[in-house]
Amino acid sequence: MGSSAKKKKEKNKDFQKPKLKVGKTRPKASNFTDTSFKSKSIVVKQQSLSTSAPSLSTQFSHHLSLLSSRSDNQRRDALSYLKSSLGARPVNAPLPQPLSVLLPKLLPLFLDPSNIVRDQLLKLLYVLPPKDMEGHVEKLHMYIRAGMNHIASEIRRSSLDILSWTLGIAGEELVSCPGGWVMPLQHFMCALGWSTGDDTSGPWSFMTVSSGKPGIERKAFVKCLNVLASFLQIGLVAEPGAEQELDPKASSFPLRHVQHHMLPKNANCFAQLNLFGASRDQETQMYEDREARQGVFHLLFRPTVERGLKAAKREGGEVGRAAATVRKILIDGMNSFDVATL
């Protein structure tokens, strides 16, 4: 009996609540760990064995490699550093890395899912030298088309900003590159919700989207119309004074057909011959002169664009003003077109 009572008392001891008294410290728990000990540490004043900082070229290459990081903030910070580095260089100074090295890292970011990364990328594009970008328009065109046809609406809107920047620095090269005229127009028709045929059973058509939605969708519709206006302005409307320069009568005798003996302005002047590439269809063909672009636009897109602009002008407001701008450019660009030349 004594042994049994002792065991019972020891079991109940764990469940008894200790009585606390004022002025006395609280008893320590059974699993208390004493942390009053101190440990010695070694402090290294210089973390690097070299006293000199890394060069600007090394830092630039390091941040360029961070563009493939999985962190959105790290990619954004890397783009911010590259923008600051390129913007701080002297006017005629060469780039720290050639565009052939920069663009393969920058172009995939056109489709980046993060908005902050794409916004920072657009700021970086504006500090790149425009003249050097003319030879890389075909690569830009591929990623711009992928962005315009993306499933995410934010990426589609960002691709319009990049397309607007490209039209500003190398618009003529863009509309003249392979597929640079027909394919962007197809994506414009998709973004605006304009079907390319009288019915939806044509070779390709898109679901009609109302432009009257309030908020973001309406602003995106207006932005798309404005970029389409810039695209048609470059592709269809002749530059002021361009026809006088190419006029054979403008040369004085005995000089004849001087324009045919001038040095070409573009780098790859025989690209339209497609000597070593795959065969091209109507969509991927190059249309270097304005007359060829006018003919293709008249056959494939003119009725669709006119119907869409007529419906957009009836809505009024920002949409109506943007549609009126596109309509004016369309009239100026197709005014000199002769259907008999087809």
Side-chain angles (χ1 to χ4, degrees):
M1 293 295 293
S3 177
S4 178
K6 185 178 179 180
K7 290 182 179 179
K8 186 177 181 180
K9 186 177 180 180
E10 290 179 355
K11 290 182 180 179
N12 294 335
K13 186 179 180 181
D14 296 335
F15 299 98
Q16 290 179 357
K17 185 177 180 181
K19 294 181 180 180
L20 303 178
K21 295 182 180 181
V22 179
K24 291 189 177 182
T25 57
R26 187 175 182 177
K28 297 180 181 180
S30 59
N31 58 349
F32 172 75
T33 303
D34 185 10
T35 58
S36 60
F37 61 89
K38 294 183 180 180
S39 62
K40 295 183 180 180
S41 61
I42 301 175
V43 179
V44 181
K45 295 183 179 181
Q46 294 180 355
Q47 299 296 329
S48 177
L49 297 178
S50 176
T51 58
S52 60
S55 62
L56 295 177
S57 177
T58 304
Q59 295 182 22
F60 191 90
S61 301
H62 171 68
H63 285 84
L64 189 63
S65 65
L66 294 179
L67 295 180
S68 57
S69 173
R70 295 184 178 181
S71 173
D72 298 345
N73 294 329
Q74 200 167 24
R75 295 197 302 271
R76 180 200 59 188
D77 295 341
L79 288 171
S80 178
Y81 176 85
L82 296 178
K83 171 186 171 297
S84 302
S85 178
L86 294 177
R89 65 188 178 87
V91 179
N92 296 324
L95 296 174
Q97 294 285 349
L99 284 177
S100 58
V101 177
L102 292 177
L103 290 182
K105 298 285 187 178
L106 297 177
L107 293 181
L109 297 180
F110 285 9
L111 310 177
D112 195 280
S114 175
N115 292 332
I116 58 176
V117 174
R118 295 196 307 274
D119 293 342
Q120 194 64 41
L121 173 64
L122 185 61
K123 297 177 183 179
L124 172 61
L125 293 178
Y126 275 98
V127 300
L128 293 178
K131 289 294 182 183
D132 297 345
M133 296 297 299
E134 294 179 357
H136 304 276
V137 170
E138 191 171 350
K139 297 179 181 178
L140 290 171
H141 171 240
M142 295 172 56
Y143 283 90
I144 290 173
R145 286 194 296 107
M148 294 180 66
N149 201 29
H150 202 274
I151 191 173
S153 59
E154 294 84 2
I155 296 180
R156 294 198 298 268
R157 286 193 292 268
S158 298
S159 65
L160 290 177
D161 296 331
I162 298 176
L163 177 59
S164 178
W165 165 78
T166 308
L167 292 174
I169 63 169
E172 186 65 30
E173 288 77 7
L174 177 63
V175 299
S176 303
C177 72
W181 179 244
V182 176
M183 287 186 175
L185 285 174
Q186 291 179 349
H187 295 307
F188 273 118
M189 299 301 106
C190 175
L192 295 170
W194 295 348
S195 175
T196 57
D198 296 333
D199 53 9
T200 59
S201 60
W204 58 276
S205 60
F206 298 98
M207 184 182 299
T208 302
V209 179
S210 174
S211 60
K213 291 183 178 181
I216 300 178
E217 294 298 330
R218 189 179 185 87
K219 292 181 181 179
F221 191 88
V222 174
K223 178 189 289 188
C224 191
L225 283 177
N226 292 331
V227 179
L228 176 62
S230 303
F231 187 79
L232 295 178
Q233 175 76 26
I234 296 175
L236 297 178
V237 180
E239 296 182 0
E243 296 182 357
Q244 289 77 2
E245 294 179 359
L246 299 179
D247 188 6
K249 298 180 181 179
S251 355
S252 58
F253 182 80
L255 301 178
R256 302 284 294 178
H257 305 291
V258 180
Q259 70 279 6
H260 298 301
H261 303 280
M262 300 289 290
L263 292 176
K265 296 181 179 180
N266 53 346
N268 192 3
C269 55
F270 300 105
Q272 73 278 4
L273 301 179
N274 193 25
L275 297 177
F276 306 103
S279 59
R280 298 170 180 166
D281 53 6
Q282 192 177 38
E283 294 182 356
T284 58
Q285 189 59 260
M286 295 180 62
Y287 300 98
E288 292 191 316
D289 54 341
R290 185 169 64 96
E291 291 75 13
R293 293 193 289 266
Q294 287 176 335
V296 175
F297 181 82
H298 177 78
L299 291 176
L300 299 181
F301 302 103
R302 187 173 186 178
T304 304
V305 173
E306 289 179 348
R307 288 196 306 269
L309 293 177
K310 185 178 180 181
K313 287 180 65 176
R314 288 197 296 264
E315 297 189 9
E318 293 181 342
V319 176
R321 289 191 294 269
T325 303
V326 179
R327 176 64 180 171
K328 182 180 181 301
I329 293 175
L330 186 60
I331 294 175
D332 295 341
M334 301 298 291
N335 189 24
S336 61
F337 175 69
D338 188 7
V339 185
T341 58
L342 294 176

